[in-house]
């Protein structure tokens, strides 16, 4: 590859080359004379990506570009995953109606540097924005007041503020607005680095305990009575073991008044932004089903373990009475572990009438997708399902035939030169080649009947003339 720039070596040391892919450093890291004095390691600093993480980064990029590529692969748990499972299993306990689980740290003899100065500086930057954006400030204060009121966080008194050496970490925080709901959420920055480390670097991510989305959706379509619900603030329902809460300290002003001095607080629950939180929360939810399955119907426990995708429940039953009984068991079972189901939705009015009024709120989408977009998505689902069933059924299948009456789908299948917007670009990149196997696509039609009006195409007819 042709170099764009070269920085020559000094005293037979390494040299740098810039190409279209970026900078590389080449050459020896030791002196060339072979003497003890010059044979010492040369100290080199560079902007770099750890070679140890290249495989992980490549896997993440591969999964993003080819999301269906791993459907036929069995995923084994790593050593870190086994360590995570052992750690949370040993620490998990039910207390005061909620599960308490430790932070799954990589090293039990963890020794963190004192990073309070970083959190203080970020708070000062936040104060500048507060002074310029009154709406942002009001929503931020409301969020903080809410987590303090609900007991998800606590203000430290003067006797508790002295940090425990090596076991205290301060989390900077910032506001993130939901792109659709436009609701502000305060996110704690667990990836913020200080002294060469961060909280996320010290936490085990854990295995993916979530059921397959495709599997959940397929099972959801099996029966006639459908019901959906959502676990309210799922992460915040799982508490952190007392010995780990000082790793979740943060700075905030009394009553949100940024004219006063910053005061030390700490989170008492597993938080958004921590790399371990998704697996910890799912573990606690499923443990709740295991712990109380003897008190309720077995289908309730099975629903939690197989019919949930993260915090969303999607379940279908054969009749309304069965659905009503199951939903009652689900609500009562999960309430034992502090989990509250809300935002219920169903095609059965009888079932919805059986749900307590305070749990029924359901948010409708603000913007409906266009018909062509839904038709293209349906064609994509057909291809995905064909591939999935071919793998899962373990049958030798003949070529699949797909039918569509969508002119939008047919247009995009036949297009070779059209430029597409973002959604269409991704759709074409990931699925168009599979869809364009034209022998697999047919348009439904019927024979002509007496009384049909037929348009005849005649190239010799005058423009705007339509012979009947």
């Amino acid at each position: 590859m042709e170099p764009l720039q070269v920085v020559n070596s000094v005293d037979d040391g390494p040299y740098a080359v810039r190409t279209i892919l970026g900078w590389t450093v080449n050459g020896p890291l030791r002196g060339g004379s072979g003497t003890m004095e010059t044979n010492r390691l040369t100290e080199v600093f560079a902007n770099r990506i750890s070679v140890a993480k290249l495989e992980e980064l490549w896997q993440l990029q591969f999964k993003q570009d080819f999301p269906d590529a791993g459907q036929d692969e069995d995923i084994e748990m790593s050593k870190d995953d086994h360590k995570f499972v052992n750690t949370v299993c040993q620490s998990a306990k039910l207390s005061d109606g909620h599960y308490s689980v430790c932070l799954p740290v990589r090293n039990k003899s963890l020794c963190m540097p004192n990073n309070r100065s970083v959190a203080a500086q970020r708070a000062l930057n936040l104060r500048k924005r507060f002074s310029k954006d009154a709406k942002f400030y009001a929503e931020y204060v409301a969020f903080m007041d809410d987590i303090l009121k609900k007991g998800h966080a606590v203000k430290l008194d003067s006797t508790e503020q002295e940090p425990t050496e090596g076991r205290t970490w301060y989390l900077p925080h910032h506001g993130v607005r939901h792109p659709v709901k436009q609701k502000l959420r305060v996110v704690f920055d667990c990836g913020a680095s200080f002294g060469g480390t961060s909280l996320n670097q010290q936490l085990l991510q854990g295995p993916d305990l979530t059921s397959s989305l495709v599997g959940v959706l397929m099972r959801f379509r099996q029966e006639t009575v459908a019901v959906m619900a959502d676990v309210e603030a799922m992460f915040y329902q799982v508490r952190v073991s007392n010995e780990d809460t000082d790793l979740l300290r943060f700075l905030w002003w009394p009553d949100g008044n940024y004219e006063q001095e910053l005061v030390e607080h700490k989170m008492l629950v597993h938080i958004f932004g921590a790399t371990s939180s998704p697996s910890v929360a799912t573990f606690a939810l499923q443990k709740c089903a295991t712990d109380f399955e003897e008190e309720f119907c077995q289908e309730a426990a099975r629903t939690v373990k197989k019919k949930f995708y993260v915090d969303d429940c999607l379940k279908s039953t054969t009749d309304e009475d069965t659905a009503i009984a199951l939903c009652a068991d689900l609500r009562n079972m999960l309430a034992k572990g502090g989990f509250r189901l809300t935002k219920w939705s169903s095609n059965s009015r009888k079932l919805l009438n059986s749900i307590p009024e305070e749990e029924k709120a359901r948010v409708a989408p603000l913007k409906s997708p266009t018909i062509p977009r839904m038709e293209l998505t349906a064609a994509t689902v057909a291809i995905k399902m064909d591939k999935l069933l071919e793998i899962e059924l373990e049958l030798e299948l003949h070529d699949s035939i797909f039918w569509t009456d969508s002119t939008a789908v047919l247009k995009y299948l036949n297009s070779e030169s059209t430029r597409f917007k973002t959604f269409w670009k991704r759709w074409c990149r990931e699925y168009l080649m599979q869809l364009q196997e034209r022998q697999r696509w047919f348009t439904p039609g019927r024979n002509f009947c007496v009384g049909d009006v037929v348009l005849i195409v005649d190239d010799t007819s005058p423009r705007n003339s339509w012979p009947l």
Side-chain angles (χ1 to χ4, degrees), residues 297-437:
C297 68
Q298 291 185 349
E299 187 58 26
R302 186 172 178 273
T303 296
V304 174
K305 295 176 181 178
K306 301 294 291 184
K307 311 297 175 68
F308 270 69
Y309 184 72
V310 191
D311 58 353
D312 291 313
C313 172
L314 295 93
K315 173 65 178 174
S316 63
T317 64
T318 55
D319 58 81
E320 291 180 313
D321 291 337
T322 301
I324 291 171
L326 174 62
C327 290
D329 274 2
L330 274 175
R331 295 199 315 273
N332 295 328
M333 170 188 283
L334 293 181
K336 293 274 189 179
F339 299 103
R340 178 173 177 263
L341 287 173
T342 185
K343 298 181 182 178
W344 291 85
S345 182
S346 176
N347 60 348
S348 166
R349 185 170 298 276
K350 182 178 178 181
L351 185 149
L352 290 178
N353 289 337
S354 72
I355 304 295
E357 191 64 33
E358 64 272 15
E359 298 179 5
K360 285 183 188 180
R362 187 67 189 173
V363 179
L366 298 178
K367 182 179 179 181
S368 299
T370 63
I371 296 298
R373 184 169 182 152
M374 288 193 292
E375 291 174 340
L376 285 168
T377 301
T380 301
V381 171
I383 289 290
K384 284 185 174 182
M385 292 302 298
D386 176 64
K387 182 178 180 181
L388 178 69
L389 293 174
E390 183 178 356
I391 294 170
E392 298 294 343
L393 294 178
E394 298 181 344
L395 297 175
E396 186 176 348
L397 302 176
H398 298 291
D399 290 341
S400 301
I401 305 298
F402 304 99
W403 295 81
T404 182
D405 60 354
S406 167
T407 56
V409 172
L410 295 174
K411 174 185 174 182
Y412 279 95
L413 289 177
N414 293 326
S415 176
E416 296 179 354
S417 59
T418 304
R419 292 184 176 138
F420 304 101
K421 293 184 179 179
T422 303
F423 171 79
W424 311 119
K425 284 181 181 178
R426 182 176 178 187
W427 186 84
C428 293
R429 181 179 69 247
E430 296 182 4
Y431 303 112
L432 186 60
M433 297 303 293
Q434 297 178 60
L435 293 171
Q436 278 185 329
E437 297 179 26

Side-chain angles (χ1 to χ4, degrees), residues 1 4 59 82 121 157 177 205-206 241-242 288 291 321 339 347 357 360 365 367 402 409 417:
M1 186 177 295
L4 302 178
Q59 291 287 353
H82 285 290
Q121 183 58 52
D157 60 37
R177 195 173 297 280
Q205 179 177 346
S241 300
N242 290 334
C288 181
D291 289 348
D321 291 337
F339 299 103
N347 60 348
E357 191 64 33
K360 285 183 188 180
K367 182 179 179 181
F402 304 99
V409 172
S417 59

Side-chain angles (χ1 to χ4, degrees), residues 441-465:
W441 287 93
F442 293 90
T443 305
R446 64 176 180 82
N447 294 328
F448 295 124
C449 300
V450 176
D452 285 348
V453 176
V454 180
L455 295 177
I456 301 174
V457 178
D458 185 354
D459 294 334
T460 63
S461 298
R463 186 179 180 83
N464 294 329
S465 173

Side-chain angles (χ1 to χ4, degrees), residues 116-128 251 262:
R116 191 182 192 280
S117 59
V118 174
Q121 183 58 52
R122 290 276 290 270
L124 293 178
N125 294 339
L126 194 60
R127 183 171 67 178
K128 293 178 182 178
L251 302 177
L262 286 164

